[in-house]
Amino acid sequence: MTATLEQPAPTPTGQPAVAARDITKTFTTGGTQVPVLHGVSLEARPGEMVAVMGASGSGKSTLLYCLAGLERPDAGEVVVNGRNLAECSRADLARMRRGEVGFVFQAYNLVPTLTAFENVCLPHLLRHEKADVAVVEGVLESVGLAHRRDARPPSMSGGEQQRVALARVLAQQPSTIFADEPTGALDSRSSELVLGHLGRLAHRDDACVVVVTHDPTVAASCDRILFMRDGLLVDELRPTSTEQVARALAGITSRRGEC
Ligand SMILES: Nc1ncnc2c1ncn2[C@@H]1O[C@H](COP(=O)(O)OP(=O)(O)O)[C@@H](O)[C@H]1O
Ligand SMILES: [Mg+2]
């Protein structure tokens, strides 16, 4: 797949849509403590598409979960659209994720007994609203799945399920989108399609998009890349080419564990 590097978007100004200040997170499993985030601070603004890259296990998904209110950090602060997540109840957070905050899960998180169409309607159903059939069919078509409207996840390929997960967020029309490896199961053509959608959400619709990816081509089409190593943000890049991103990523991952 060739990188489609458009003119870099101008740096968005104004209030950040997402701000993290010095967040830490340790998991405890079977009595063992697993420290994962060691004090992460970042900001991302409306109209901006930000990539997070780093070796497997460096804490990227945990960071995204904390930013989206799916995990609570042990310390530090996450503010989304002006709201401090520590002050939100679980119900507030759930409401946010059905509305203004969209999450594309790495493992898709589709309901296996529902059709693709019904899965895309889910945020509306959870808000006790009726989804607009034409909008839902439109987003399914836009991710190339019009013909799979009535298929259920167990009969779909990983790539198809990943595109249903994206369609669900597109139908939800959130102003802040978190996407965890949204092209992980896709061939290069579908990958470009997904990237195009995420880019339009940020650059046309003024949404804030934060995308975890290991793919330098995906990251190269973002406005900014944050590099993680061992639970810390260690570098930042405004990408100019896929090759430059691949080199930067190799540099970051080869220095793993030095500090
Ligand atoms: N719920 C959890 N319980 C225990 N350990 C976890 C949990 N989630 C993640 N981890 C651990 O945290 C570390 C970072 O995981 P993760 O955030 O998924 O990294 P990445 O997305 O960069 O691969 C890994 O060592 C992983 O095993
Ligand atoms: Mg991950």
Side-chain angles (χ1 to χ4, degrees):
M1 158 174 149
T2 50
T4 45
L5 292 174
E6 295 162 19
Q7 284 294 100
T11 307
T13 51
Q15 285 303 308
V18 181
R21 291 186 201 100
D22 215 12
I23 58 172
T24 62
K25 180 76 186 173
T26 295
F27 291 108
T28 306
T29 35
T32 310
Q33 303 233 307
V34 184
V36 178
L37 300 180
H38 296 281
V40 174
S41 300
L42 61 85
E43 288 188 348
R45 294 188 149 65
E48 195 179 28
M49 184 160 158
V50 178
V52 180
M53 300 191 93
S56 177
S58 58
K60 304 179 298 295
S61 294
T62 305
L63 172 62
L64 219 57
Y65 276 43
C66 287
L67 298 179
L70 288 158
E71 288 282 358
R72 287 201 191 267
D74 300 327
E77 196 173 77
V78 178
V79 178
V80 175
N81 298 329
R83 228 168 313 153
N84 186 335
L85 298 192
E87 291 163 7
C88 295
S89 66
R90 289 174 85 90
D92 291 336
L93 294 175
R95 207 171 305 119
M96 242 175 62
R97 285 194 307 273
R98 283 177 227 137
E100 69 196 71
V101 172
F103 202 103
V104 183
F105 289 91
Q106 185 167 12
Y108 325 130
N109 285 24
L110 303 177
V111 180
T113 51
L114 300 182
T115 65
F117 181 91
E118 290 163 343
N119 267 287
V120 174
C121 292
L122 210 53
H124 285 86
L125 293 179
L126 294 171
R127 292 199 304 257
H128 306 288
E129 289 171 13
K130 214 167 161 357
D132 184 324
V133 173
V135 169
V136 175
E137 288 181 344
V139 293
L140 278 171
E141 188 174 356
S142 76
V143 298
L145 288 178
H147 64 296
R148 300 294 271 152
R149 181 192 190 281
D150 298 320
R152 290 184 168 76
S155 74
M156 304 178 98
S157 70
E160 287 176 333
Q161 292 183 59
Q162 193 153 45
R163 282 180 286 151
V164 175
L166 176 74
R168 184 167 61 188
V169 163
L170 293 175
Q172 184 185 335
Q173 297 183 311
S175 59
T176 305
I177 294 102
F178 299 101
D180 197 355
E181 304 271 12
T183 62
L186 301 180
D187 58 32
S188 59
R189 234 180 93 229
S190 299
S191 214
E192 273 179 24
L193 184 138
V194 167
L195 253 185
H197 276 296
L198 293 175
R200 277 188 294 280
L201 285 170
H203 302 141
R204 184 193 67 192
D205 302 341
D206 212 28
C208 173
V209 178
V210 182
V211 47
V212 165
T213 184
H214 64 269
D215 183 338
T217 308
V218 172
S221 61
C222 292
D223 304 307
R224 204 152 55 91
I225 306 173
L226 305 174
F227 290 99
M228 273 195 100
R229 190 174 64 224
D230 300 333
L232 284 168
L233 289 180
V234 291
D235 210 350
E236 181 172 336
L237 181 73
R238 287 196 174 270
T240 53
S241 72
T242 301
E243 294 69 29
Q244 173 215 32
V245 174
R247 272 197 308 276
L249 180 64
I252 296 291
T253 49
S254 68
R255 279 183 279 138
R256 200 173 176 211
E258 259 177 29
C259 57

